[in-house]
Amino acid sequence: DVFYQELPKVELHAHLNGSVSSQTIEKLISRKPHLNIEHGMTAIGKGQRRTLDECFQVFKVIHQLVDTEEDILMVAIDVIKEFAADGVKYLELRSTPREEKTTGLTKRSYIETVIKAIQQCRSEGVDIDVRFLVAIDRRNGPEVAMETVKLAEEFMLSSDGLVLGLDLSGDPTVGHGRDLLPALQRAKNCGLKLSLHLSEVPSQLEESELLLNLPPDRIGHGTFLHPEVGGSQSVVDKVVENKIPLELCLTSNVKGQTVPCYSKHHFKYWYQMGHPSVICTDDKGVFSTDLSQEYQLAASTFGLSREDVWKISQQAIDCIFAPDNVKQQLKQKWIDLQPQVF
Ligand code: 5GP
């Protein structure tokens, strides 16, 4: 439906290596034929499902394909252009800096390369404002988390506003957020915005309670926060009182089987409450989707009118990490693009 494609959109939850399209995967495979990686190993097609654990195996395969500065530059440029082509006007891309001894890739050059891709798209006039959130993979523990925060801090000060914050992600069944608190607290104190994956699986309630005290600036998924699915009212109250927006990824949660079907997605709970809920893709490549499709799915599943959909995309502007002048520019863009009748 062209309405969803033309709808100006804000994407706030997109992992770089999960967003790689099949076209770009083809290019990567042809660069590294010796790895014997096939297409079916990097994406979950229509109607297919995997356990969350299997999803994390997919990321490992993609990481094998993306292990040089050259790969990262190509992947980031392709991903940015694909979001732009899908009508995304503002994108916060997140990625975990990796070092690769065999190719000379360092965490620092990883971040520099993503920034270079953003700048290159900008100089080519691609119609999208892109920012970067440096990601912590919880699997790597507290020392690496602290090291990542320090790097992010440096780039926040030197990247002309391109690096805005920090993401906490990675396999939710590994490690405990309590150990990462010093790193996250430091990030917050130095002015990095925080987007934390919280309660992606049911066993994380205690961790969520703890991390909500920071408090984070946005929540990724938050699938099991509310009492209907074993969460708690006090946790919900904390999210509501602090007006912490949720980044919600319908297809990702259905394909990763943390949500049984679209109609049972927690988008319904939070949206009905009037709580800021931003529709996002998570991993458009791995889950074979795009942001227009996610908006369309939300509309068809929850009976939203086109005007409702417009409002959701417009209200996402208030949830971005970029400063007020950027919000104002985007709001003007939305006014300019708004249809006379829906
Ligand atoms: P990258 O950070 O390498 O650009 O993107 C892939 C990484 O993002 C994964 O290895 C994982 O750490 C994180 N990631 C992607 N999707 C999800 C998700 O749905 N949940 C969590 N917790 N982490 C994710």
Side-chain angles (χ1 to χ4, degrees):
D1 190 328
V2 68
F3 170 80
Y4 295 93
Q5 238 256 311
E6 286 176 353
L7 175 74
K9 292 173 287 294
V10 165
E11 168 67 82
L12 300 183
H13 190 127
H15 299 270
L16 177 60
N17 285 298
S19 300
V20 187
S21 64
S22 51
Q23 290 89 321
T24 307
I25 292 283
E26 290 296 344
K27 293 192 268 180
L28 291 164
I29 287 176
S30 68
R31 281 181 182 185
K32 297 178 169 68
H34 58 281
L35 289 176
N36 282 322
I37 291 172
E38 286 165 32
H39 221 122
M41 296 157 77
T42 63
I44 303 167
K46 205 173 155 50
Q48 287 186 323
R49 285 177 193 210
R50 301 284 161 86
T51 63
L52 201 56
D53 196 51
E54 288 166 332
C55 294
F56 285 102
Q57 298 305 320
V58 176
F59 296 124
K60 283 192 188 148
V61 177
I62 298 172
H63 285 160
Q64 282 184 281
L65 284 170
V66 183
D67 68 350
T68 67
E69 283 174 32
E70 207 187 350
D71 297 334
I72 293 163
L73 187 68
M74 176 178 79
V75 160
I77 289 175
D78 284 4
V79 165
I80 290 169
K81 289 184 178 172
E82 287 154 5
F83 274 115
D86 188 39
V88 174
K89 302 297 179 195
Y90 176 92
L91 162 67
E92 285 176 17
L93 211 49
R94 56 185 77 191
S95 193
T96 325
R98 262 180 299 135
E99 65 180 8
E100 207 64 62
K101 296 246 159 55
T102 52
T103 68
L105 181 69
T106 64
K107 291 184 181 182
R108 181 178 298 277
S109 67
Y110 189 107
I111 299 176
E112 283 166 352
T113 307
V114 176
I115 290 174
K116 190 169 156 193
I118 296 173
Q119 286 166 336
Q120 189 167 323
C121 289
R122 192 183 275 183
S123 71
E124 285 178 31
V126 184
D127 182 21
I128 185 170
D129 184 340
V130 186
R131 309 296 171 125
F132 186 42
L133 309 181
V134 180
I136 292 176
D137 185 339
R138 49 186 295 145
R139 175 185 287 281
N140 298 329
E143 284 82 28
V144 172
M146 188 58 93
E147 185 196 325
T148 307
V149 168
K150 288 179 184 163
L151 256 183
E153 200 175 333
E154 246 183 73
F155 280 99
M156 177 186 69
L157 297 171
S158 67
S159 67
D160 225 357
L162 292 186
V163 172
L164 292 173
L166 207 72
D167 153 76
L168 172 64
S169 54
D171 190 337
T173 62
V174 178
H176 197 290
R178 131 181 24 92
D179 304 325
L180 305 173
L181 262 181
L184 298 174
Q185 191 65 63
R186 173 175 175 141
K188 194 164 170 80
N189 292 348
C190 78
L192 286 161
K193 301 280 189 184
L194 293 184
S195 169
L196 309 183
H197 284 61
L198 290 188
S199 286
E200 246 181 308
V201 292
S203 58
Q204 286 179 293
L205 195 60
E206 185 213 323
E207 176 187 283
S208 295
E209 273 171 348
L210 192 69
L211 296 182
L212 279 170
N213 290 331
L214 281 162
D217 299 282
R218 290 200 310 255
I219 293 169
H221 304 298
T223 314
F224 295 93
L225 291 172
H226 60 294
E228 290 170 19
V229 286
S232 85
Q233 191 57 46
S234 71
V235 161
V236 170
D237 291 344
K238 222 179 253 184
V239 174
V240 172
E241 278 159 25
N242 289 296
K243 298 195 179 67
I244 312 173
L246 267 74
E247 304 154 355
L248 302 171
C249 314
L250 277 73
T251 297
S252 162
N253 297 155
V254 170
K255 287 194 172 176
Q257 297 188 57
T258 52
V259 164
C261 58
Y262 285 98
S263 61
K264 295 217 167 91
H265 194 278
H266 51 294
F267 171 85
K268 188 175 179 186
Y269 176 90
W270 293 96
Y271 179 72
Q272 278 183 346
M273 229 187 349
H275 189 80
S277 309
V278 185
I279 295 174
C280 304
T281 52
D282 204 9
D283 300 289
K284 72 174 181 61
V286 170
F287 297 116
S288 318
T289 188
D290 58 34
L291 194 53
S292 318
Q293 195 177 324
E294 295 302 300
Y295 269 86
Q296 193 164 354
L297 276 164
S300 62
T301 306
F302 302 108
L304 309 175
S305 69
R306 293 192 163 189
E307 210 167 343
D308 296 332
V309 170
W310 185 272
K311 278 203 188 122
I312 292 172
S313 95
Q314 198 169 36
Q315 285 166 357
I317 299 170
D318 288 316
C319 306
I320 71 171
F321 285 164
D324 274 342
N325 64 316
V326 178
K327 287 185 188 169
Q328 291 320 318
Q329 283 165 20
L330 289 172
K331 283 181 182 173
Q332 188 56 50
K333 199 169 237 176
W334 260 244
I335 290 170
D336 296 343
L337 293 169
Q338 178 157 357
Q340 297 286 318
V341 280
F342 280 102

